[in-house]
Amino acid sequence: AGTTGARHHARLLLLIPFPNCLYLPQAWLDTQDRCLGHYVNGKWLKPEHRNSVPCQDPITGENLASCLQAQAEDVAAAVEAARTAFKSWSAHPGVVRAQHLVRLAKVIQKHQRLLWTLESLVTGRAVREVRDGDVQLAQQLLHYHAIQASTQEEALAGWEPMGVIGLILPPTFSFLEMMWRICPALAVGCTVVALVPPASPTPLLLAQLSGELGPFPGILNVISGPASLVPVLASQPGIQKVAFCGALEEGRALRRTLAGECAELGLALGTESLLLLTDTADVDSAVEGVVDAAWSDRGPGGLRLLIQESVWDEAMRRLQERMGRLRSGRGLDGAVDMGARGAAACDLVQRFVREAQSQGAQVFQAGDVPSEHPFYPPTLVSNLPPASPCARAEVPWPVVVASPFRTAKEALALANGTPRGGSASVWSERLGQALELGYGLQVGTVWINAHGLRDPSVPTGGCKESGCSWHGGPDGLYEYLRPSGTPARLSCLSKNLNYDTFGLAVPSTLPAGPEIGPSPAPPYGLFVGGRFQAPGARSSRPIQDSSGNLHGYVAEGGAKDIRGAVEAAHQAFPGWAGQSPGARAALLWALAAALERRKSTLASRLERQGVELKAAEAEVELSARRLRAWGARAQAQGHTLQVKDLWARGRAGQVGWGGAQTRGCEMSQAWGPAATPGRGLHFNMRFAWDIQTLSWAKPYFFLSFLETESRSVAQAGVQWRDLGSLQAPPPRFMPFSCPRLPTNFLFFLFFFIFSRDGISPC
Amino acid sequence: MSAHNRGTELDLSWISKIQVNHPAVLRRAEQIQARRTVKKEWQAAWLLKAVTFIDLTTLSGDDTSSNIQRLCYKAKYPIREDLLKALNMYDKGITTAAVCVYPARVCDTVKALKAAGCNIPVASVATGFPAGQTHLKTRLEEIRLAVEDGATEIDVVINRSLVLTGQWEALYDEIRQFRKACGEAHLKTILATGELGSLTNVYKASMIAMMAGSDFIKTSTGKETVNATFPVAIVMLRAIRDFFWKTGNKIGFKPAGGIRSAKDSLAWLSLVKEELGDEWLKPELFRIGASTLLSDIERQIYHHVTGRYAAYHDLPMS
């Protein structure tokens, strides 16, 4: 038995590439005569006299089609189409939008082969991941958001769609990134103009599929063009929000460009992920987690891997063994683990690995990988000195940088000691340890004993430098909603303000006459860290009442004062977060009561600023109501735990809860309901908690914002009058709207009242 | 056949720290079926390879010498001659890996195989198959009798109660005695994973069985409600790899029960290839216990050769 032919053996031991049929994508490109324009208002737009960029197969370099580059007027046409479409789309009841989304899901289902072959062909990603992952999830996303849309009138009463959303996608992305953003936007009634980099046909195909559905052609418009069009798109009248995902530097540049412009900005930056492997983990499964994260074309970027010292050798051995079995090749080959992502990605990783080696790292590469240029083998980097530049830099695909840790505390210090905070997974079979690490990680999404699971109903996002926007779940919807009646956003750039020196130059204010303000005058100074203090510049600014009379002098703050205030907030954070949800709720309610006691004083003060008495009273009342609502939320979230199919047929269970407030609560308490399924809760849990909450509850986000984008501080100062839009907050309200919320004002107000009442903050 | 696994001393530290995360293993099991697609002639080659791994099995109450004879003939000529000729594999001696029967049918099987003129090994189940709930003494005697009758491979079932109550030393001792009773015959230990309760138990039982000297570990009897599944197989294969890393001994793996389609068999091959590597893809280290699988493989090969699907009457029955 078993004496089989040599040829037979030879064949068995090799996995032979089996290219999926190229016919479909080619045929689709042929329908466009191999020349892709833009898809606007349900029609292909192919303006003349435009530059074109070739769309190439990232592996062979073969020219697939040429793509026209948009110019400003094309962008304007797309935005105009979206504005027109917005009027009817947002006016329809949610049920109609839901039906449309479901129809789009069905169209995607019908043309999924075209979609996945095209996507795999142009991005070079493994077709298996696109076919079994992305395309399926895209349909789930549409269905999920269709359901959300159908209940919008009840569930999201008091909220309205923002308007036209500008979506900006980076050169390398999966079309799923687009789906995560357009689904909620379309569901709530917004319309979308997507600016995709040239040579990315999948979004165009999606727009075509959507446009051909009939009654609402203009809801999704896709134009392809260079990054220089971003400011053009963002400054188009009617664009209410710009959603961006991509590289950190581009995001920063975008933030700089958009500071003070009317469009709101949602950022999702960076691609790196983190995996924490403890000594109580199922190491083999954790190794699979590493493969999922970095070497399976699922995650977009590289991975930082932290391994507990006691299992370091074992984990590294298994990892290296597993790497040997990975297979790389043309994305359309049905038997590869990873494809190639083009020359740029390859150059980037080559540079990174070379530098890491020169900085003393050990590099291990393995796998069945073609030796031609755009392919790069799975790479494991270890022994990288912690202080070396490579250890600080973002890890590119497909590299895993492994480093050891000794204790859970050290693991958290290492994991949090990076400016990035995208996603992470914790591998441990001990529930307590897993939760401790999960709570301690400063990242947007944490998976436990799994990596890279996505579900439409669980919000994911990032924190720190990884951005501030959320998608999926209810949070994803609020990204594209605003309280009903909010006036449209206007540009608030002040022409006569020098932003380069704002807050830095010493102001020169002369006495402007006698004050007619109330007596006794409010204490002069800035309220920081629980007490009044003189501003750094030691000077004042006169403020006038509505009739132009000098009302009084307030302290003239500067950049240094802001820094001091942020630092104080930073220091206060652990204490505040450590409070039980009940205590925090009580404090907020006490604050609301204090506010109400001073209703008449506050209202009259607002009145002197030119607000009508009724409006002023309403504003104070709304403030108090909002405080109460948040207080209730703080308390409620202490006990809310969303448990999603914990043991369901091979799928990982997910636990999601929102609100940073829960972080402060007793873990056992939060875990109560989930702990009931039985002892030994060693299954995957995915938490997605979001960091978005009132800025004063999580001051460090404000801080990171300041650090990354000092220009917007000015914006924060200028925009505080948004207070008029106070409403009962949604669960987990708007991420990063903090700079726009009346931060400084609230700080002042809260602590002012606290101190008067003798309540010590924190 | 390779030399026997001599086994090692019982070392409970090999199993005390093990962690198996159920959902993570389930996910891996799901992935593995989609990650390696083989088509066309490569698929045909994989299928032929799969044939050589089959322990062609009949374990029914109504087995008699006549259907055993038919089975043995099928084991010798698993694929229709003209199909093999078309694939240019006629002279490569493709047979199934073994024939697997109840102890009482071993004599018939040996005779029938002799008549067919081949030396395919005869495997016999033993030790109170499938429940294992008989006295140790009779179980050992069963092994000895089967070996006497000419079985060269013995598929024993373990005593599940020892696993469920955590009596690892007792389990080790029992399998040790089975090993001794087998003599020169190969010992395949059936863990009956469908009745072990958890994947952690599957890992521990696998490790104990290998330490006690099993040449193969086998997923199930085919008589439990849950038989060979990918998650269980992943855990067993990882145990085999750990044992190999610790001792240098390569232990074989045999999934059995519920493997009916050619597509399934391909997934099993790629699973072993992925988790253990090519060196395990030979009949000495990998078997598939199946009865109806062979006819489906034959049909697929028929389709590959002719471009048409065969009716069941087009192919000889087993």
Side-chain angles (χ1 to χ4, degrees):
Chain A
T3 51
T4 46
R7 175 165 152 240
H8 179 178
H9 261 294
R11 280 191 176 172
L12 180 67
L13 301 182
L14 288 172
L15 281 157
I16 303 301
F18 169 66
N20 271 264
C21 183
L22 283 175
Y23 168 74
L24 268 178
Q26 308 256 22
W28 180 74
L29 291 170
D30 283 339
T31 62
Q32 298 302 314
D33 300 323
R34 302 266 171 169
C35 169
L36 295 170
H38 319 290
Y39 199 82
V40 173
N41 206 16
K43 287 188 289 288
W44 283 96
L45 185 67
K46 291 185 184 171
E48 288 180 2
H49 312 299
R50 299 283 190 270
N51 298 333
S52 74
V53 170
C55 169
Q56 292 174 329
D57 184 324
I59 291 156
T60 59
E62 176 199 351
N63 255 0
L64 296 170
S66 60
C67 300
L68 298 180
Q69 298 251 50
Q71 287 184 3
E73 51 260 49
D74 306 330
V75 177
V79 173
E80 193 46 49
R83 284 179 73 174
T84 317
F86 175 71
K87 286 185 195 118
S88 66
W89 178 247
S90 59
H92 276 92
V95 180
V96 174
R97 288 197 297 273
Q99 282 166 348
H100 192 79
L101 291 181
V102 170
R103 283 176 65 205
L104 182 55
K106 292 217 170 108
V107 170
I108 288 182
Q109 191 182 19
K110 287 174 197 161
H111 298 288
Q112 50 180 317
R113 177 173 279 272
L114 169 60
L115 205 56
W116 82 55
T117 41
L118 181 68
E119 171 79 357
S120 176
L121 178 67
V122 295
T123 61
R125 292 171 66 223
V127 71
R128 161 191 52 77
E129 200 54 47
V130 183
R131 179 191 61 204
D132 301 344
D134 295 7
V135 174
Q136 307 311 319
L137 186 53
Q139 293 171 50
Q140 288 167 18
L141 276 167
L142 283 165
H143 282 292
Y144 173 82
H145 286 101
I147 292 168
Q148 299 287 327
S150 68
T151 58
Q152 185 178 1
E153 281 83 4
E154 302 88 60
L156 298 170
W159 291 83
E160 62 180 19
M162 277 181 155
V164 181
I165 307 296
L167 174 61
I168 294 157
L169 295 163
T172 50
F173 70 99
S174 99
F175 82 98
L176 205 54
E177 294 296 341
M178 181 172 157
M179 294 304 289
W180 277 108
R181 287 160 182 84
I182 62 170
C183 288
L186 293 179
V188 299
C190 296
T191 54
V192 178
V193 176
L195 175 63
V196 299
S200 40
T202 328
L204 288 166
L205 171 61
L206 264 176
Q208 189 191 353
L209 292 178
S210 157
E212 285 171 357
L213 273 181
F216 308 105
I219 55 170
L220 176 60
N221 307 281
V222 175
I223 43 179
S224 60
S228 57
L229 280 180
V230 171
V232 179
L233 173 63
S235 58
Q236 289 291 325
I239 291 275
Q240 290 296 306
K241 170 152 187 159
V242 174
F244 174 84
C245 71
L248 175 65
E249 280 311 316
E250 291 166 39
R252 273 191 183 150
L254 189 60
R255 167 62 91 196
R256 217 162 284 137
T257 326
L258 290 193
E261 297 284 352
C262 56
E264 198 180 302
L265 182 60
L267 295 173
L269 307 175
T271 54
E272 187 188 273
S273 193
L274 174 83
L275 192 144
L276 260 176
L277 172 50
T278 68
D279 61 357
T280 56
D282 173 357
V283 178
D284 279 311
S285 292
V287 166
E288 290 305 324
V290 176
V291 174
D292 282 345
W295 299 320
S296 72
D297 273 356
R298 179 175 304 174
L303 180 75
R304 288 205 305 145
L305 173 62
L306 296 177
I307 304 175
Q308 193 148 16
E309 217 172 2
S310 48
V311 287
W312 172 266
D313 291 335
E314 195 193 343
M316 289 303 266
R317 180 176 187 182
R318 281 165 205 269
L319 209 51
Q320 292 177 354
E321 160 91 9
R322 180 71 179 89
M323 285 170 78
R325 301 199 198 291
L326 290 169
R327 194 162 176 274
S328 174
R330 200 173 153 76
L332 283 170
D333 177 347
V336 296
D337 293 298
M338 26 187 273
R341 301 194 183 174
C346 187
D347 293 342
L348 179 72
V349 57
Q350 270 173 345
R351 219 167 31 244
F352 180 88
V353 171
R354 244 197 328 268
E355 272 170 37
Q357 252 167 337
S358 71
Q359 286 159 16
Q362 279 177 7
V363 174
F364 178 85
Q365 294 180 326
D368 174 9
V369 183
S371 52
E372 300 95 80
H373 171 63
F375 290 101
Y376 200 82
T379 306
L380 178 64
V381 173
S382 52
N383 286 3
L384 191 61
S388 62
C390 269
R392 308 285 308 161
E394 183 167 31
V395 181
W397 174 89
V399 177
V400 172
V401 175
S403 36
F405 69 88
R406 293 167 299 173
T407 60
K409 203 176 160 196
E410 191 178 53
L412 284 180
L414 284 169
N416 292 337
T418 147
R420 292 168 292 277
S423 58
S425 62
V426 175
W427 293 77
S428 167
E429 296 297 308
R430 281 220 307 270
L431 179 63
Q433 186 187 44
L435 288 179
E436 184 191 341
L437 289 169
Y439 273 106
L441 285 170
Q442 290 166 5
V443 295
T445 308
V446 177
W447 296 283
I448 291 188
N449 290 333
H451 198 105
L453 300 181
R454 306 297 296 270
D455 187 292
S457 58
V458 179
T460 48
C463 65
K464 297 198 277 190
E465 272 184 6
S466 290
C468 52
S469 71
W470 289 80
H471 32 267
D475 304 62
L477 298 176
Y478 287 113
E479 290 271 309
Y480 305 101
L481 288 169
R482 63 179 175 206
S484 301
T486 314
R489 299 164 56 91
L490 297 170
S491 173
C492 52
L493 277 177
S494 177
K495 291 275 178 294
N496 48 19
L497 199 58
N498 184 351
Y499 283 96
D500 291 324
T501 56
F502 179 77
L504 297 172
V506 177
S508 47
T509 317
L510 297 172
E515 300 176 38
I516 57 150
S519 176
Y524 168 82
L526 299 169
F527 193 81
V528 174
R531 61 194 174 83
F532 283 99
Q533 58 186 45
R538 296 287 193 277
S539 71
S540 321
R541 168 180 289 259
I543 48 171
Q544 294 165 340
D545 61 16
S546 52
S547 46
N549 299 322
L550 180 70
H551 175 72
Y553 292 92
V554 293
E556 173 85 53
K560 274 191 173 171
D561 297 307
I562 294 179
R563 194 201 62 193
V566 170
E567 203 172 311
H570 233 316
Q571 282 166 0
F573 170 66
W576 176 241
Q579 302 274 316
S580 74
R584 268 176 292 172
L587 214 67
L588 290 186
W589 279 58
L591 181 55
L595 205 62
E596 266 173 354
R597 276 200 299 281
R598 286 168 184 75
K599 192 172 162 186
S600 57
T601 325
L602 288 165
S604 68
R605 215 170 269 183
L606 283 169
E607 198 186 0
R608 269 197 296 280
Q609 304 268 320
V611 184
E612 264 183 53
L613 183 61
K614 261 201 176 140
E617 279 176 347
E619 192 169 323
V620 179
E621 211 168 284
L622 269 168
S623 306
R625 208 193 305 159
R626 189 170 204 184
L627 281 168
R628 289 220 170 85
W630 274 107
R633 187 75 61 188
Q635 182 151 351
Q637 279 183 350
H639 305 283
T640 330
L641 193 67
Q642 197 190 331
V643 181
K644 252 190 109 263
D645 48 58
L646 279 172
W647 264 114
R649 291 164 291 110
R651 302 294 301 268
Q654 296 153 356
V655 181
W657 63 80
Q661 288 94 335
T662 49
R663 286 198 178 196
C665 77
E666 286 283 313
M667 282 180 193
S668 54
Q669 201 179 338
W671 196 247
T676 42
R679 69 198 177 87
L681 264 132
H682 45 84
F683 27 71
N684 314 297
M685 292 162 288
R686 175 163 67 160
F687 316 145
W689 56 62
D690 38 353
I691 44 115
Q692 59 222 32
T693 173
L694 285 175
S695 53
W696 44 268
K698 299 279 287 194
Y700 60 87
F701 298 112
F702 185 45
L703 178 68
S704 62
F705 182 81
L706 284 173
E707 284 165 351
T708 51
E709 194 43 69
S710 56
R711 187 68 56 86
S712 297
V713 174
Q715 196 184 353
V718 181
Q719 292 191 342
W720 66 266
R721 282 292 300 164
D722 268 10
L723 192 64
S725 65
L726 284 170
Q727 274 240 348
R732 296 165 271 168
F733 181 56
M734 309 234 188
F736 257 79
S737 42
C738 27
R740 195 169 310 108
L741 279 174
T743 318
N744 305 341
F745 178 72
L746 279 180
F747 256 115
F748 179 81
L749 193 67
F750 289 174
F751 290 102
F752 177 66
I753 293 167
F754 272 136
S755 60
R756 283 269 184 98
D757 282 0
I759 306 170
S760 142
C762 312
Chain B
M1 274 284 179
S2 56
H4 290 300
N5 169 25
R6 293 229 194 88
T8 61
E9 292 296 310
L10 179 66
D11 185 350
L12 286 179
S13 74
W14 290 10
I15 61 167
S16 58
K17 278 197 200 138
I18 181 64
Q19 306 282 358
V20 180
N21 186 281
H22 193 157
V25 172
L26 295 188
R27 259 198 322 276
R28 169 77 174 139
E30 240 176 50
Q31 284 172 359
I32 219 154
Q33 299 168 57
R35 288 223 166 153
R36 298 286 182 259
T37 323
V38 282
K39 298 278 179 190
K40 302 194 176 147
E41 60 253 55
W42 296 280
Q43 191 184 57
W46 278 62
L47 288 174
L48 282 182
K49 191 82 178 166
V51 168
T52 66
F53 297 139
I54 292 178
D55 275 5
L56 197 60
T57 306
T58 180
L59 293 169
S60 319
D62 57 358
D63 287 340
T64 62
S65 61
S66 66
N67 78 316
I68 295 283
Q69 206 175 353
R70 214 163 50 219
L71 191 79
C72 290
Y73 189 81
K74 188 73 178 171
K76 168 87 164 101
Y77 304 104
I79 307 287
R80 238 170 62 175
E81 199 181 309
D82 54 329
L83 300 179
L84 284 181
K85 273 185 180 149
L87 289 170
N88 205 14
M89 296 295 287
Y90 178 58
D91 50 351
K92 301 295 191 293
I94 290 183
T95 66
T96 66
V99 177
C100 182
V101 293
Y102 269 123
R105 298 270 75 84
V106 171
C107 281
D108 291 340
T109 314
V110 172
K111 219 188 298 171
L113 284 174
K114 207 171 192 177
C118 64
N119 54 355
I120 299 174
V122 177
S124 167
V125 297
T127 69
F129 184 92
Q133 299 279 25
T134 57
H135 291 293
L136 181 60
K137 201 170 165 188
T138 57
R139 280 187 275 156
L140 289 172
E141 195 55 31
E142 216 181 326
I143 296 177
R144 284 189 204 105
L145 292 174
V147 174
E148 261 172 42
D149 284 351
T152 52
E153 300 179 4
I154 306 292
D155 290 26
V156 300
V157 291
I158 60 163
N159 188 342
R160 275 79 108 185
S161 63
L162 295 180
V163 176
L164 291 169
T165 52
Q167 303 179 53
W168 304 112
E169 294 91 345
L171 180 67
Y172 176 85
D173 291 339
E174 267 200 29
I175 300 175
R176 257 288 193 249
Q177 293 185 52
F178 295 158
R179 162 83 274 169
K180 220 167 163 189
C182 281
E184 279 307 299
H186 276 242
L187 175 66
K188 298 195 215 140
T189 306
I190 304 173
L191 303 177
T193 52
E195 295 176 353
L196 293 189
S198 74
L199 290 180
T200 313
N201 274 351
V202 170
Y203 183 93
K204 291 180 175 176
S206 305
M207 207 44 130
I208 296 284
M210 288 186 285
M211 283 195 262
S214 310
D215 297 303
F216 264 84
I217 50 175
K218 177 173 167 183
T219 57
S220 36
T221 59
K223 310 280 185 192
E224 292 102 45
T225 44
V226 180
N227 290 297
T229 62
F230 288 113
V232 158
I234 287 171
V235 172
M236 290 173 70
L237 291 171
R238 285 175 180 169
I240 289 175
R241 187 179 58 208
D242 289 351
F243 188 76
F244 172 62
W245 280 354
K246 284 187 159 101
T247 65
N249 284 346
K250 287 181 181 166
I251 306 300
F253 172 65
K254 176 176 173 185
I259 305 171
R260 294 198 180 85
S261 72
K263 200 177 163 206
D264 282 352
S265 70
L266 292 179
W268 282 99
L269 258 65
S270 64
L271 175 65
V272 173
K273 186 179 164 73
E274 285 295 296
E275 285 288 330
L276 292 177
D278 292 335
E279 61 265 48
W280 257 266
L281 281 178
K282 51 187 181 186
E284 292 81 20
L285 288 171
F286 179 55
R287 298 286 179 82
I288 299 173
S291 44
T292 52
L293 170 65
L294 184 54
S295 42
D296 193 52
I297 292 184
E298 203 176 359
R299 277 187 89 212
Q300 296 303 326
I301 289 177
Y302 183 96
H303 174 252
H304 174 71
V305 171
T306 65
R308 290 174 285 119
Y309 280 102
Y312 281 101
H313 59 248
D314 283 334
L315 300 168
M317 69 185 287
S318 55

